[in-house]
Amino acid sequence: MSATMITSNPASTPATTNTPASDTYRQAPPGFTPEQREFFEREGYLILPQRLTDEEIARYLEVIDRQITAEPKFKPDAFFSRENIVERDPVFAELIDHPRHVGYVYDFYGELLKLHVSQFFVRPRGGQHNLWHPDGARAVPYQVFSPDMPCQIKVAYWLTDLPEPGMGNIVIRPRSQRQQYFAHYDTHDSVEDELIVCVPRGTVMLMNGSVWHRVEPNESDVVRKNIFLAYCPSWVVAADRLQNDPEWLKTLTREQRIIMRSYSYAYDHTKPPASDFPLFLDRDTGLDRDPGMYPDHVALHRRKRMLAHEKAAQKENQ
Ligand SMILES: O=C(O)CCC(=O)C(=O)O
Ligand SMILES: [Fe+2]
């Protein structure tokens, strides 16, 4: 067997001077169970209840509230959003690779995982709210190229209770991720097969970016506050930055820095440098590679590693 358990940075892949010294790579945090994966594949979304404690919610809200209070452009009766939030506060930087959700997106994007966008949204009564749309490219949607694998997955942290419609809730059309045309595109129409997401605070939701969605008007006195983190493969252009501040990148852990994919040489997005591998060790085997797939001379950063669904299919065929 050619696989080796890597527990320290081998000489061929030195830790860069930008990262804190790390003797051990991390094993990928937990991701989808087979049942959750089946639901997500079919429905295009997944709700993970009770993922945030009241203390964690309060911690995120405190940063949002601090930032909007300091923002001269913030108006209490208008929609407000801020992007690239991970770079704006260390509490948000923790979210880049937070173990409560990063394993799910790692299942889809594996060793090329990238943070596509990080945002917080504040939706008061009467604020602007989105028309029906899928996320990502419009003229040729991602889904045309990649019918089965989403090129973008949104992770929503709901920080305020959304017990009923009319509270600025996101509204999705389950199972619509393979649909390229929709008569109600760019309207606020309510449609028969929609799901108005009514969830308590502390819920985390995953959504395939190709799912059609809109936003309910907020007719309540609750100001909807939430965080969105979207992930994609490294070669998709990020939505909220081209590169990050190199000084800020130095404050991150190795995995966080990699997931930002702040490369100055554009082709690195497709072929990241050797030092960025492994991002994570295999969740089950603890290995940095899939055993038996390549002769020994092939370097780690040039090896394909299987995604969760490929490993599951391989297991089934055994
Ligand atoms: O705020 C929401 O619930 C969804 C917003 C949205 O669809 C977007 O930003 O693309
Ligand atoms: Fe959207």
Side-chain angles (χ1 to χ4, degrees):
M1 188 171 89
S2 60
T4 34
M5 167 87 92
I6 305 292
T7 51
S8 61
N9 290 323
S12 58
T13 58
T16 70
T17 49
N18 282 354
T19 55
S22 160
D23 294 347
T24 48
Y25 295 126
R26 274 167 67 193
Q27 230 153 313
F32 289 88
T33 65
E35 296 73 29
Q36 287 175 331
R37 178 70 185 233
E38 200 186 316
F39 185 94
F40 184 84
E41 293 284 348
R42 191 180 62 244
E43 304 293 326
Y45 75 100
L46 181 69
I47 292 191
L48 303 168
Q50 297 180 327
R51 288 307 197 271
L52 308 173
T53 65
D54 282 348
E55 291 70 33
E56 288 167 332
I57 294 167
R59 199 157 161 263
Y60 299 137
L61 286 176
E62 190 274 320
V63 185
I64 294 176
D65 291 341
R66 182 157 30 88
Q67 294 207 358
I68 60 181
T69 307
E71 172 54 61
K73 288 202 189 106
F74 173 75
K75 290 198 209 86
D77 57 353
F79 166 71
F80 183 83
S81 72
R82 177 151 276 175
E83 298 197 325
N84 193 20
I85 61 168
V86 293
E87 195 170 334
R88 294 170 181 264
D89 195 286
V91 168
F92 293 147
E94 287 169 18
L95 296 176
I96 298 167
D97 65 338
H98 201 291
R100 76 165 76 83
H101 70 258
V102 80
Y104 290 88
V105 285
Y106 185 74
D107 278 356
F108 272 93
Y109 305 126
E111 290 290 296
L112 286 193
L113 179 66
K114 168 176 172 170
L115 184 69
H116 183 253
V117 70
S118 62
Q119 309 162 301
F120 71 70
F121 281 10
V122 179
R123 293 192 177 279
R125 176 193 282 277
Q128 168 271 331
H129 53 287
N130 305 52
L131 307 164
W132 282 112
H133 67 280
D135 286 342
R138 300 295 160 87
V140 187
Y142 293 143
Q143 187 257 333
V144 177
F145 299 99
S146 181
D148 293 320
M149 290 294 283
C151 284
Q152 191 182 308
I153 295 176
K154 210 164 208 168
V155 180
Y157 277 29
W158 302 116
L159 302 176
T160 45
D161 287 325
L162 300 165
E164 52 195 52
M167 298 185 74
N169 327 55
I170 195 168
V171 184
I172 65 174
R173 291 181 62 234
R175 308 186 183 205
S176 63
Q177 62 270 26
R178 290 176 183 84
Q179 184 178 340
Q180 289 169 15
Y181 300 93
F182 178 41
H184 301 272
Y185 178 38
D186 275 350
T187 76
H188 286 300
D189 296 349
S190 179
V191 300
E192 212 160 65
D193 59 354
E194 72 184 21
L195 172 73
I196 305 179
V197 176
C198 296
V199 288
R201 66 180 188 276
T203 306
V204 170
M205 183 181 120
L206 309 176
M207 187 183 85
N208 177 329
S210 297
V211 162
W212 289 83
H213 56 285
R214 66 173 177 91
V215 175
E216 276 275 274
N218 191 349
E219 292 152 352
S220 78
D221 291 325
V222 177
V223 179
R224 190 201 94 174
K225 293 178 184 166
N226 79 287
I227 293 170
F228 284 129
L229 304 149
Y231 294 83
C232 61
S234 173
W235 35 262
V236 169
V237 179
D240 60 0
R241 65 193 186 277
L242 289 171
Q243 280 185 262
N244 298 92
D245 174 4
E247 290 305 309
W248 173 73
L249 288 168
K250 286 181 195 167
T251 68
L252 301 180
T253 66
R254 176 177 177 274
E255 293 81 14
Q256 289 166 352
R257 180 189 53 73
I258 293 172
I259 293 168
M260 294 309 294
R261 306 289 173 185
S262 184
Y263 298 128
S264 53
Y265 176 51
Y267 208 12
D268 279 352
H269 289 95
T270 315
K271 294 180 154 98
S275 55
D276 284 358
F277 295 92
L279 169 54
F280 289 118
L281 300 174
D282 188 279
R283 184 183 295 140
D284 303 315
T285 64
L287 301 175
D288 67 352
R289 62 197 68 196
D290 301 328
M293 308 302 281
Y294 291 92
D296 283 349
H297 71 267
V298 181
L300 181 62
H301 67 288
R302 300 177 57 80
R303 292 177 176 229
K304 172 182 183 291
R305 269 176 69 186
M306 283 193 287
L307 296 175
H309 72 281
E310 295 174 304
K311 283 192 271 179
Q314 191 190 44
K315 226 183 218 174
E316 227 163 67
N317 291 335
Q318 269 168 6

